Amino acid sequence: MGFFMDGLDAEAYDRSYKDSQLIRRIGGYFKPHWPLMVGITVLVVLNSGLDSAFPILVSRSLDSLSGSQMLQQAGTLVLFILLAGVLSWTCNLFRQWFTARTVGTVVLKLRQDAFRAVISRDMSFFDEFSSGKIVSRVTSDTDNFAAVVTLTLNLLSQVLLFLIIVGVLLFKNVQLTLLTLTIMPIIILVALGFRRIARRLTRNTQRSLARVNSNVQEIISGITIAKNFRQEQNMYDEFTKVNKQSYHVHLRTGFLYNGIFPILILITNIGTTIVVYFGGHSVLDRNISAGDWFLFVQSLMLLWLPLTSIASFWSQFQQGLSASERVFALLDAEAHVKQVDQQKVPQLKGEIEFKDMIFSYDQRQTVLSKFNVKIKAGETVAFVGHTGAGKSSIAKLIARFYEFQGGQLLIDGQDIRTFDLHEYHRSLGIVPQIPFLFSGTVADNIRYARPEATDEEVRRVAEHIGGGDWLEALPEGLQTLVGETGRSLSMGQRQLVALARVLLQDPAIIIMDEATASIDPLTEAQIQEGLDVILKNRTAIVIAHRLSTIRHADRIIVIEQGRSVEEGDHEELMRRGGHYAQLYNTYFRHQSPDYKPGGGFVSVVR
Ligand SMILES: Nc1ncnc2c1ncn2[C@@H]1O[C@H](COP(=O)(O)OP(=O)(O)OP(=O)(O)O)[C@@H](O)[C@H]1O
C-alpha cells in the first residue's frame, strides 16, 4: 500500500493476542473493583428498565382509552412518564459516576504498569525502539483503552434495553416480533464483516500516531543540532510526511467507520417499513390492538439503537482492544538481560574480570570476541582506542545494560548474572560523557544519588569537588535551577554536578565516559581535582579522552576491534612505541603541556 503503510510495521516486541486473552486480562484489571461493577450493573438494569417504560405505558393507555376518563388517564400517564424519566436520569448519573471512577482507577493502574515496564526494560530496548513510540503506548493507548471501556459499559445498558424490549414484544405478539427481528442477522453479519478490517485499520491509526509522536520527540531532542545545520525546513518536510501519513490513515479509518453507520441505518429503516406495513395490516385484521402496534413502532428505534451502536462502535471497541494489545505487548516484552539468580550483593571490593567474553548488539557485527581483561579492586584503568573499538561496550557490559552471548563477567569473582541487579547498580557509579541533569536545583541533582542525604552532606560533597570553587560561579549556589536536562549550566558545571552526585553515591566501581568537549582550563583543573577525590580507593573504568586522565591511570588498556591489544602505564607504552604510541600521536599529543605544532611525535615501531 506504499506510502500509507510505510513505517507502520509492528515493533519487534509486538504480539497478537486472541480476543479472549485480551478480555480475560482486561477483566483482571477490573476484578479488584467488583463492588463498583456490581453497582454499575444494577444501575444499568434499572436504567434500561425505566427507559423501556415509556412505550409500554403509552401502549397500555392507548388500549384502555375511553372518552370519559381520557383526561384523567392522560394525567396519570404524564405523571408516570415523568417519574420514570427522573428515576432514569438519577440512575444514569450514578452509573456514569461509578463508571468514570472504575475506569479512571483501572487506567491509572494500567498506565503505572506500563510506565514501570518501560523503566525496567534494559538499555537495548531503548536503543532498539524510539522513545516517542514508547511514550505513545503509555499515554494515548491507555487513553483509548479507557474510552472503550466506558463505551462498553454504555453498550451493556443498551443490550439490556434491547433484551427487555424483545421480551415485552414477544409477550405481546410472537409473529410480529420474529418479523421485526428478521433483519437482525443482516446487521450482525455486516458488523462481523467490518470487524477484521476495523482492527487492522485502527492498529495502523495508532501506529501512525505513535510515529508522529516519535518524530516530534526526536526533532525536539535534536533541535540544537538541527538549527545549527539550518535543517528547519527539512525537519518540517519530514514532519509533514509523517503527519500526512497519519492524516491519510485516519481518513481511511474514518471513511470506513462513517460508511458503516448509514448502511446500518438503511437496514434498520427497511426493518421499520416491514413492521409498519405488516403491523398495520394486523391491526386492520384485528389480530393485534392499536396499542400493541404503537408499542412495536415505538420500540423499533429503541430496538435498533443498541444493535446499530454495537455495530458502529465495534470500531472503537476494536480500537480499545488493539490499544490494550499494544500496552500488554509492552508489559510482556521480554528482557534481553537475563539474571540466573537474584543474590544479595555484599559490599563490593570492585574486582572485575572479563573471561572469553563474546558480545554483539545485533546480528550485524561482533563487538567483543573472546575478550579477556582482569581489573584489580581499587585500580583505575583507562580504556583507549579508535572510535568504534568497543570501549563504551565494555563499560555498558560492566553496568549490565546489555546481555552478552558468551564467556563470563565476574565481579569480585562472582558471575554478574547471579546478582540482584537493583543492589548491584547501587554499588556502581556512572558518569556519562554528557551528564544528564533533571529539572530542579543543583542540590536536587546531587541528592539524586541518595535521596535521604541531608543538606549538609550534599554541601560537603559539592565542596569536596574542585575545592567547591565552582559553586561560587552559580548564581544561587546549590539552589541554582539547572533547567531541562541541565541546559542552564555550562557543560563543565554539569560534569562537576555529575561528579558530586557520584561522590555522594559512594560506589565501589565507577564507570566514566570522559567528555570529549573542550572545557576551559580552570574547569578542567576542577574536574581533574574532583576525579582525584572520586577515583581514590575505588575501581574505575575510564573511557579516556584526556591525556591528564590517562597519565593518572594505573593501567592503560588499548582496545582494537573488540580486543585488548596492549596494556601498561603511559611511560611504558610510550617506550614500547606500539598501538598506544600511535594513538598518542593521533589524539593525545596536542594535549601535552610541551606540545608544539608539528613536533612532539613519538616513534612507532610497527
Ligand atoms: N546500541 C548499539 N546498537 C548497535 N550497535 C552498536 C550500538 N552501540 C555501539 N554499537 C557498535 O558497536 C561497536 C563498538 O561501539 P562502542 O560504542 O563500544 O565503541 P567505542 O570504542 O566506545 O567508540 P567511541 O570512542 O566512538 O565512543 C561500533 O561498531 C558501534 O557501531
Side-chain angles (χ1 to χ4, degrees):
M1 285 202 213
F3 160 74
F4 288 134
M5 298 304 156
D6 280 354
L8 299 185
D9 299 333
E11 305 280 7
Y13 63 93
D14 266 321
R15 14 174 127 180
S16 281
Y17 297 85
K18 285 189 202 142
D19 284 0
S20 57
Q21 285 175 313
L22 286 178
I23 289 167
R24 206 171 318 127
R25 197 136 171 210
I26 293 168
Y29 275 90
F30 280 91
K31 213 167 163 190
H33 309 288
W34 68 266
L36 270 181
M37 295 296 287
V38 170
I40 293 169
T41 314
V42 170
L43 289 168
V44 162
V45 174
L46 281 175
N47 212 187
S48 310
L50 289 164
D51 282 350
S52 58
F54 173 74
I56 298 169
L57 285 172
V58 176
S59 130
R60 277 182 65 95
S61 312
L62 267 179
D63 285 343
S64 58
L65 275 183
S66 62
S68 58
Q69 292 171 327
M70 208 152 153
L71 198 64
Q72 194 194 350
Q73 277 178 348
T76 320
L77 183 66
V78 168
L79 206 69
F80 272 120
I81 289 172
L82 217 63
L83 194 67
V86 169
L87 282 175
S88 164
W89 181 84
T90 315
C91 287
N92 190 39
L93 186 76
F94 280 98
R95 174 164 70 92
Q96 300 294 356
W97 181 33
F98 287 174
T99 307
R101 265 189 64 172
T102 316
V103 174
T105 325
V106 165
V107 170
L108 184 84
K109 171 89 173 78
L110 189 67
R111 210 170 260 173
Q112 271 170 333
D113 285 355
F115 188 73
R116 186 182 293 278
V118 170
I119 54 174
S120 54
R121 294 279 84 93
D122 32 71
M123 286 306 290
S124 54
F125 183 83
F126 299 97
D127 282 340
E128 216 173 320
F129 307 111
S130 105
S131 46
K133 288 186 180 175
I134 299 172
V135 169
S136 191
R137 286 197 191 215
V138 179
T139 54
S140 46
D141 284 344
T142 46
D143 251 0
N144 278 338
F145 171 74
V148 98
V149 175
T150 314
L151 195 79
T152 311
L153 289 170
N154 285 339
L155 282 183
L156 187 70
S157 113
Q158 296 193 353
V159 171
L160 273 173
L161 185 63
F162 174 83
L163 292 176
I164 294 172
I165 292 175
V166 168
V168 175
L169 292 186
L170 277 173
F171 179 71
K172 292 281 177 193
N173 189 313
V174 177
Q175 233 179 353
L176 205 53
T177 309
L178 292 179
L179 192 70
T180 312
L181 296 179
T182 44
I183 58 162
M184 211 170 100
I186 307 174
I187 293 183
I188 291 174
L189 272 179
V190 172
L192 284 180
F194 180 56
R195 179 174 169 265
R196 269 174 169 267
I197 320 169
R199 172 81 77 96
R200 188 165 48 78
L201 277 183
T202 42
R203 243 187 229 152
N204 282 340
T205 50
Q206 284 155 348
R207 282 178 194 160
S208 69
L209 192 65
R211 218 174 154 214
V212 172
N213 281 347
S214 151
N215 187 275
V216 173
Q217 179 133 347
E218 187 174 340
I219 285 169
I220 291 182
S221 314
I223 193 79
T224 324
I225 307 293
K227 279 189 175 290
N228 190 19
F229 287 101
R230 297 200 199 88
Q231 289 293 316
E232 287 96 331
Q233 187 57 43
N234 281 347
M235 277 174 356
Y236 182 77
D237 293 345
E238 200 181 314
F239 177 74
T240 308
K241 221 161 75 186
V242 175
N243 200 24
K244 271 197 179 149
Q245 181 190 48
S246 167
Y247 162 77
H248 285 298
V249 173
H250 274 85
L251 210 66
R252 278 174 169 225
T253 316
F255 184 71
L256 182 79
Y257 295 157
N258 293 322
I260 193 80
F261 204 71
I263 295 175
L264 293 169
I265 298 281
L266 184 77
I267 301 171
T268 57
N269 283 348
I270 294 171
T272 309
T273 316
I274 294 172
V275 173
V276 170
Y277 179 79
F278 286 103
H281 268 290
S282 300
V283 175
L284 291 179
D285 298 344
R286 297 193 180 279
N287 284 336
I288 59 167
S289 69
D292 286 352
W293 187 55
F294 172 83
L295 178 65
F296 270 90
V297 176
Q298 269 295 305
S299 306
L300 282 175
M301 266 338 281
L302 288 178
L303 198 62
W304 301 142
L305 189 70
L307 271 185
T308 49
S309 302
I310 291 165
S312 57
F313 287 119
W314 190 249
S315 57
Q316 265 108 321
F317 186 65
Q318 290 297 313
Q319 196 164 327
L321 278 190
S322 66
S324 57
E325 191 172 57
R326 284 163 58 79
V327 178
F328 291 145
L330 178 65
L331 297 185
D332 297 342
E334 287 211 11
H336 290 309
V337 172
K338 291 204 172 77
Q339 293 303 94
V340 294
D341 205 349
Q342 299 288 329
Q343 288 179 20
K344 284 203 162 303
V345 180
Q347 181 64 42
L348 290 179
K349 293 202 293 287
E351 188 189 274
I352 301 167
E353 185 175 6
F354 283 88
K355 267 187 166 175
D356 294 332
M357 170 71 63
I358 297 173
F359 169 67
S360 57
Y361 289 97
D362 46 43
Q363 319 291 332
R364 290 175 299 174
Q365 172 197 22
T366 304
V367 178
L368 303 179
S369 57
K370 299 255 173 194
F371 179 69
N372 286 291
V373 154
K374 187 167 182 176
I375 299 164
K376 291 197 287 279
E379 195 181 13
T380 297
V381 174
F383 282 99
V384 294
H386 288 292
T387 183
K391 306 175 296 286
S392 308
S393 308
I394 295 167
K396 286 177 194 167
L397 288 172
I398 298 173
R400 193 72 180 130
F401 286 161
Y402 288 85
E403 186 57 90
F404 46 87
Q405 288 77 37
Q408 269 191 315
L409 175 54
L410 306 175
I411 308 290
D412 284 1
Q414 194 177 334
D415 189 341
I416 196 169
R417 286 172 299 192
T418 60
F419 285 150
D420 173 335
L421 274 190
H422 192 68
E423 283 196 14
Y424 174 62
H425 282 146
R426 235 186 270 158
S427 311
L428 196 74
I430 298 176
V431 185
Q433 205 172 65
I434 300 170
F436 186 94
L437 304 187
F438 292 95
S439 333
T441 63
V442 169
D444 292 340
N445 273 284
I446 297 177
R447 194 177 273 118
Y448 197 73
R450 198 150 56 79
E452 71 283 3
T454 62
D455 289 350
E456 181 52 28
E457 282 176 290
V458 171
R459 197 184 50 76
R460 219 178 308 135
V461 294
E463 285 177 354
H464 218 78
I465 299 291
D469 295 344
W470 60 286
L471 294 169
E472 284 163 26
L474 299 171
E476 287 167 75
L478 282 171
Q479 296 312 316
T480 306
L481 291 171
V482 303
E484 198 184 23
T485 71
R487 236 175 256 161
S488 313
L489 301 190
S490 74
M491 193 50 87
Q493 287 168 332
R494 283 186 232 175
Q495 282 169 9
L496 289 161
V497 175
L499 293 183
R501 184 161 64 187
V502 169
L503 186 60
L504 184 70
Q505 184 191 357
D506 191 20
I509 300 170
I510 288 196
I511 296 173
M512 194 172 98
D513 197 349
E514 206 170 38
T516 45
S518 52
I519 288 167
D520 66 275
L522 178 67
T523 316
E524 166 113 30
Q526 288 171 337
I527 290 177
Q528 191 54 53
E529 277 178 47
L531 279 180
D532 291 343
V533 174
I534 287 178
L535 303 185
K536 206 156 50 186
N537 301 328
R538 293 174 222 275
T539 310
I541 316 299
V542 185
I543 299 159
H545 297 292
R546 290 203 197 103
L547 184 61
S548 53
T549 320
I550 298 172
R551 280 196 141 138
H552 276 78
D554 300 318
R555 189 157 44 126
I556 300 162
I557 299 182
V558 183
I559 304 292
E560 221 174 78
Q561 293 182 342
R563 285 172 188 275
S564 154
V565 289
E566 208 172 55
E567 56 174 89
D569 65 25
H570 175 73
E571 313 301 338
E572 192 185 332
L573 293 177
M574 289 288 269
R575 275 198 303 276
R576 206 179 290 172
H579 299 274
Y580 178 73
Q582 203 172 36
L583 283 171
Y584 177 85
N585 284 337
T586 320
Y587 298 118
F588 309 122
R589 183 179 53 90
H590 65 280
Q591 296 178 24
S592 163
D594 317 321
Y595 170 69
K596 285 191 194 71
F601 286 98
V602 290
S603 52
V604 176
V605 200
R606 276 232 275 176

